[in-house]
Each structure stands twice: as C-alpha cells, then as structure tokens.
Amino acid sequence: MSDQIMIDVDNISFTYPDGHEVLKGLSCKIMKGEKVALIGPNGAGKSTFMSHLNGVELASSGRVSVAGVEVTKASLKEIRRQVGIVFQDPDDQLFCPTVFDDVAFGPLNLGLPKDEIEARVDQALQVVGLEDFKDRSSFHLSFGERKRLALATVLSYQPEVLVFDEPSTNMDPMNRRKLINWLKESDKTILLCTHDLDIALEVCDRCLMLTDGQIIAEGPTKQMLYDRKFLEENKLELPLALMTHELLHGILHTQEDMDEDHRDIISKFLHAHRHAHGPGGHEHVHLHVHGHGHEHLHEDPDDTHTHSHGDHGHGGDGHAGVPHSHGDEMTSHHHHDDHDHDHGHDHDHDHDHSHDHDGEK
Amino acid sequence: MHISEGILTTPVWLAGYAGTAVLAAVTMRKLDMEEVPKISVITAVFFIASLIKVPLGPASIHLILNGLVGVVLGWRAFAAIMLGIILQAIIFGHGGITVIGINSLMLGGGALIAYMVWQQRHRFSFKKRELVFGALAGAAGTISSGLVLAGALITTGEEFYAIAATVLAAHVPIMLIEAAVVGSSAAFLYKTKPDILAGRRQTVKEG
Amino acid sequence: MALDIDRYHSVDSVVNRWDPRTKIAALGILIFSIALVKTLPMALVGFAVAVLLIRLTALPWHFIFHGLSFVLIFLVPFFFIMPLSYPGESAFEILGLGFAWEGLRLATLIFIKAISIVLVTYAIFGSSRFDISMLALQHLRCPKVVVQMLLFTYRYTFVFLDEMRRMHTSMQARGFIARANMKTMTILGHFVGTLLIRSFERTDRVFKAMLSKGYQGELHSMVEFHSHGIDYAKAVVVVVFSLALVVGDFSGQWPQAVQGWY
C-alpha cells in the first residue's frame, strides 16, 4: 500500500432530478493499493456514491478526483479507464452473445488491437476460472458463473481501482471463498460496498461507514467491526464470526453454575474459530483471553504464522480486570509439512492444530 | 394481429415498406445514446408479453399491447414495434419478411395513435384519468391496426373483402381486452412509477 | 418455444459456410422474387428450391417444422374462408355459400408462397449466429442504431422470458387462473406493468454498466467478414434462379391466380 492518494472525494453532494438529496457533503480518501470496505444501512447512498467514482453520476457540488484527475464530463473516458465497477446483478452487465464478447466489450471500447484484446480476454477468464466457457452464451451459465464472468468483464478492462457492489450476495460458499482469496491476493485498490461484514473483516484494512449521505466514521477494520454499539446504531450488526464468539462468551460468563465439562467444551469451541486472517499476513487476534483452552483451526498452510494480541473489543461492558490465563498443557501437535509456527507472544497455549486444507484455491 | 407472408400484393407491401421507412426516420430523429438500451429492453418486454394468452371462449388469443408501447415510449414507440416485428419475422417466421413494412406500419402506427389519444388526458383532471385514457389508448391502438390491416387486404383485392370483414369483426373482442389490460397497466404504472409513462408535463424544470 | 433460431448455427453445411453478407443479400432477393410469383407452377418451383435449400443447411427437421407450425396454424383457415368468400361466379354451393375454384387456387398459392419464404428465412438465420447475421445486415447498410437495438432486444428477450415465467409461477402459486373476465384483465395489466417497471430499472443499470466499461454509443466487434469467389458463385446461382422464377411467372405460359385489381 503506497502513500499515493488514489481516490479523493471532497465534500460532494448529489440530488436526484426528483428532488431526493442522496449525498450530503461526503468526503473520503482511498490510497493506492488499499482495500477498503464501505458499509452502512440500506438507502444511505452507497450505490449513488459508487456511481460518482467513475462519473456515471456527476456531483452537484464538491469534487471527486481519481489519481489526481478530477472527474468532469471531459475526463470521463480517462477516469473510466482507471475505475472499474462490478455491479451486484450480473445480468445487468452481461449483454453480449458470448462469454468472449462480454469480456471483450471493455477492451474493444478502449480501441485496443485485436491480439491484445484476445490476450486480455484469455487472462481475465483464467483469473475467474472460466477459460473453457469462451464460446458459450452468457445466458446459459449458472448464477455463480455469471457473477464470476461479470468480474472478468471488468478485469479485462484492467482498471487500477476495483469497486464491488455486494460481491458476495447469493454466492455459494465455495465461490465466495474463492472470491475472498482472490481479493486478498490482488494488488489493486479495492473498494467493497457490502453488507457481508465477514468479507470486510477478512479482506479489508479500513472501513468507511456511510449513513444518510455522509461518511460518518472511518477507521481500521479491527476497530470498526468490533464495535457492536456503533454498528447497531447504524442498523448493522457484528460480523457473524465475532457474534458467535460474543454469544458463547456471554454464556460462559453468566452461567456461573455450569459444570466443568460443559465449560470446557464451550471454551474450546470458543477458540476453535476460523482465523480471520487480516491482510498483511496471518494474524490471530485474541478477543477473549480467559481461563480456558485455546484451539486454532487453520485453514490454509502458511509459513508466516504469527500470533499476536489484538485489542479486546467489547461493546458496553468491558472486561478489564478479568484474569487472563491459559492452561499450560501442550497436547500433541499435528504438523503438516511446511507449516511452521512462530508464536510471537508470551502466553503458553494448549495447541491442537487441526489443519483444514482446501484442495486447490 | 398481423399479416403473414404471401397474402398481399406487391404494391401493398412495398407501400408498407415506404411508409415504415418514413415513420421510422421521423420518429427516430436525434436518438439519444441512453434511449438505445431503453427501447431495446421495452421491446423485449413486449415481445415476451405478447406471448401471454388470454382465454376467450373456446380459444385463446395473444395480447398485442401496442397501445401500451405508445403510452410508455411516446414517439419512440414506432421504433420499438418495428424492432419487435423484425425479430418476430426473423425468429418465428410468423408474419414474414416481405410484410415487415406493412406490419410495422399497422401496429407501430397504432401505437403512435394510441400515444396521441393518451396525451389528450392533459385536458382533463379526474381521479381515474390514467385508467380511462389508458383504456382508450389501448382501444385506439387496436382499432387503428385493425383498420390498416383491413385496408391492406381490401387494397389487395376484392377476393379479400370477406376476410377483411372477418378480421375487423375479430378485432372487436380484441379491442375490449386490450382496452382493459392497457388501462389497468397504465393506472398501475401511474400509481407505482409515474415517470415511466410518456408525455408527462414537467412540473419541475430540469436544470 | 424456440426463440433462439440460431441454435444450430454451428451445423456445418454449404449454407453455413457461405459468407453471411452475400448469403443474406442473395437469399433476400430470392424471398422477394417468390413473393412476386402469381402462378401456381412457379410457386411450386419456388417451394421445391426452398426445400432444397433447407436440406442443404442440414438443420434438423423437427426444428424447422416447429417454426413452420406457427405459419401453418395461421394459414389453414384460408383454405376454408377463401373459396367460400370468393367474389364472382361459384362452381357449386356448400351450406349456402358459393364455392369457387379460383378461391382455392389463390389459397393454395398463398400457402405455398408463405411456407417457401419461411423456409428460406430459416435457411438464412438458422445457419449463422444471430449477432453475426445482424452485423452482416449492418455491413449491408442497415442503420447501425437499428442493428444495435435488435441485438440488445434479442439478448434481453431470454432474460425477461425467465422473469415472466417466475412471476407467472408465483401467481399460480397464489391461485391465479386466467379467465375471460375483468379481474383477469386487471391482474394481467398489473403483471405487464410490473414487468415493465423491472425492465425500466434494468435498462438504467445496464446503461450504467455499459458506460462503466467505456461505451460511447457504438458497438464494436471483433467479427470480420471475408468473401471468397465461392460466396459470389453461390450468390450468382441464387440470383439467376430468382430472376428466372419471376420471368417464368410473367411469361404468361401459365394462368395467373387472380389476385388484386389487375
């Protein structure tokens, strides 16, 4: 992630012809290479905001700049080269007879030579895993395939910035996982507008909260998405990954007379959660550190594997003052091949590494 | 209802082409880039909607809805109808290639007349205005098409008089059905998404 | 309902290999020459050629027949109405109506011509991919904007057919049965209205998606057309035949079916 400002939105406002004011003085900045989540309740203006990023709508006041170039009627062509939007409904974006044609649409509009277009199409289709579908009609694909195809149609355009509108809606879990992996590995500047806070948690460094036509808050994912109270004020909820945690934690905390076996099972379960691998490596943020065992369920083998303490974000009641300790017994390690653990913290843990290896990505 | 291949004589279907070319050129002037997908999509909807069958006694008939195209697209309705006719000829072979001109003229012209009837609503103001004028537009669209069709048949030859008469008679129940459906549609659209309807007088001046 | 006429476009044949531009132009001329025919013998010749052409395309018969069925249903009544309503003298009477042989002849003529033209239409558009046929039309000087709209409409027809089926299913699930009464008409009106609204909202989104990918009003294509000698040869054969058909028709050798004021 560089220091170059990729998108600079400066106090824009926008009103629809029917008088409905949707954006009311919205400002934000997105750096090159950043992955940002745009979250907020329905009707806040997320779609309208996205349309301003590539000049499909032009703000009535304020300015939008992409890579230093201001978005105006004259600069539209150049802006659209830089910013690609993947819309929510694939059927809105697939309108050519074959898969090949749909992916070639963007490059054709750029006026590129024929062999370059073919190369780009092949590349884009490979990225989304649809290279065998070149001559098929886009209408005859399944929903998941069409969603991937829609992404390919923007990829072939090769913009620097990729904006996604609800990318994971209606996707089956496997395709969703593939998408997440792709997003994490990409070096592009990415803006995810989504209600799927779990994707945001996994993929994005930073969150912007858009409510009522304004960005009312922004901050690192680790702060914003852990703040239950703030999320609920804006008609959102904690990401599912964090909810279960909270719920179980709540159970443990309130049921004083629970027998030890049950307590043990729940506490093991509490920490046998999937790692939310933050961007920039493999980081396990400890949420609750209490007197119970600690298990890691690793999804993918990785040779940079560190555990570090993060904040304990609890809404409302804090947990300051609760004793932190861990059991010291080391159970057997089940290591796979090249999996090295480098634990960078000073607590001893019960480690039971069960590796869940996916086949291929 | 439109006419199929082989029935009309050469002067008639040639005249159909001439008329269509003129009307198309006139109504498609200054076509905005944004209107291209709009007209296409509306045409697709009507193409599909015309597959809806309405039971009528022992048989069932297909909806035509050219009146509704007029109500929704205004002057551009002619283009949409023409596209629909061309596609029908190519895809179905139903109402064939030589008669694209006369069929477009018939149904497209009907759509334009329906639009003109629809626009008269501005002279009135009562509660069910859109329903009534929608129905009138639907009826007008059907009657005009029927008259053109009958006219084409009669111009072709005396031997088609009986058929022309039958066709006109058949248009009466069709007209009633079209009036009902188009009226109901127009009222529905007015309530749910009024800016779809064509020929609205702007109260807020656009900048 | 077979909406995709180009379903079998990849079937290899003499016609399939014909450059679409010359194909459409030549076969178009054939269609119009058939339409001009007024004598039964020539109509039959035209019909034979149309059948031959379809055989040459190697398109499956069930597919062709399905397409023909629409025209057949439309035209069969003519065989009853025409002879019984023909003006002038009648040969004998059926149920009080005069039966004229001339009427039957005319009906037969119409029938044969219509079927022939539909067959040739299938030969043209069933043997190439639809968008390629449209592009060929554009090369033949059809206005670009019309071609663009035809392409979009074709594409979205399938999407809306799907949507309509879904809406219909949900209506039936709530007990809707179409009858010939006002209630049905009202519901149909709402149904069409809903379909319209959804399509309008969709065009908005589609347009935005197109703009986002650099659309500026013109559709570009990678398709290139090549004409070789063989394409022109095929065209010449067809055109010559078409002329012969018309000439033979006008030659006065056979009685013309009386149709029209002349």
Side-chain angles (χ1 to χ4, degrees), chain B residues 187-204:
Chain B
F188 176 82
L189 289 171
Y190 184 69
K191 204 170 61 160
T192 35
K193 198 176 168 85
D195 42 302
I196 263 191
L197 300 168
R200 304 186 68 223
R201 299 280 151 86
Q202 305 286 356
T203 42
V204 177

Side-chain angles (χ1 to χ4, degrees), chain A residues 277-310:
Chain A
H277 299 301
H282 186 121
E283 207 181 291
H284 176 211
V285 182
H286 283 228
L287 292 178
H288 312 275
V289 187
H290 289 280
H292 31 254
H294 187 113
E295 297 183 0
H296 304 273
L297 206 66
H298 289 271
E299 198 202 35
D300 288 306
D302 203 351
D303 53 0
T304 58
H305 180 127
T306 54
H307 288 255
S308 61
H309 273 300

Side-chain angles (χ1 to χ4, degrees), chain B:
Chain B
M1 194 192 287
H2 42 230
I3 206 158
S4 168
E5 292 282 16
I7 298 174
L8 302 173
T9 47
T10 316
V12 180
W13 54 258
L14 279 177
Y17 267 105
T20 293
V22 168
L23 271 181
V26 165
T27 57
M28 286 188 0
R29 257 196 318 203
K30 291 196 214 147
L31 198 64
D32 199 7
M33 179 169 68
E34 192 169 332
E35 293 183 88
V36 168
K38 174 171 154 184
I39 295 178
S40 312
V41 171
I42 303 296
T43 308
V45 172
F46 281 103
F47 197 67
I48 297 294
S50 68
L51 299 173
I52 300 176
K53 283 198 280 210
V54 177
L56 193 66
S60 59
I61 62 166
H62 291 273
L63 290 174
I64 306 171
L65 298 181
N66 62 332
L68 191 53
V69 186
V71 166
V72 165
L73 284 180
W75 296 118
R76 306 294 191 207
F78 190 82
I81 301 276
M82 189 182 73
L83 288 177
I85 299 285
I86 293 176
L87 276 179
Q88 276 204 331
I90 293 177
I91 295 177
F92 286 143
H94 174 90
I97 302 229
T98 53
V99 285
I100 286 177
I102 191 74
N103 280 327
S104 302
L105 200 57
M106 185 169 78
L107 291 171
L112 293 179
I113 292 179
Y115 176 58
M116 289 191 267
V117 167
W118 167 251
Q119 283 294 73
Q120 299 310 306
R121 74 193 188 287
H122 294 295
R123 299 190 193 189
F124 302 87
S125 173
F126 54 92
K127 206 173 150 210
K128 292 204 173 185
R129 188 180 73 169
E130 274 65 27
L131 175 68
V132 168
F133 275 90
L136 289 173
T142 318
I143 299 177
S144 337
S145 319
L147 287 172
V148 173
L149 176 53
L153 286 170
I154 293 175
T155 323
T156 289
E158 211 187 313
E159 56 279 359
F160 287 99
Y161 274 16
I163 295 186
T166 320
V167 159
L168 274 180
H171 269 80
V172 173
I174 294 178
M175 180 184 82
L176 292 172
I177 292 177
E178 292 278 319
V181 176
V182 176
S184 152
S185 245
F188 176 82
L189 289 171
Y190 184 69
K191 204 170 61 160
T192 35
K193 198 176 168 85
D195 42 302
I196 263 191
L197 300 168
R200 304 186 68 223
R201 299 280 151 86
Q202 305 286 356
T203 42
V204 177
K205 192 163 194 287
E206 282 172 17

Side-chain angles (χ1 to χ4, degrees), chain C residues 175-186:
Chain C
F176 173 72
I177 301 174
R179 286 190 231 279
N181 56 22
M182 265 315 276
K183 183 145 197 265
T184 300
M185 301 308 144
T186 314

Side-chain angles (χ1 to χ4, degrees), chain C residues 41-59:
Chain C
M42 286 293 104
L44 284 167
V45 170
F47 176 68
V49 168
V51 172
L52 175 64
L53 190 62
I54 281 291
R55 280 286 287 126
L56 286 173
T57 61
L59 292 170

Side-chain angles (χ1 to χ4, degrees), chain C residues 190-207:
Chain C
H190 293 183
F191 183 82
V192 175
T194 306
L195 208 54
L196 265 176
I197 291 179
R198 289 210 188 142
S199 78
F200 249 77
E201 289 175 347
R202 186 180 284 281
T203 72
D204 208 38
R205 297 194 301 262
V206 168
F207 188 63

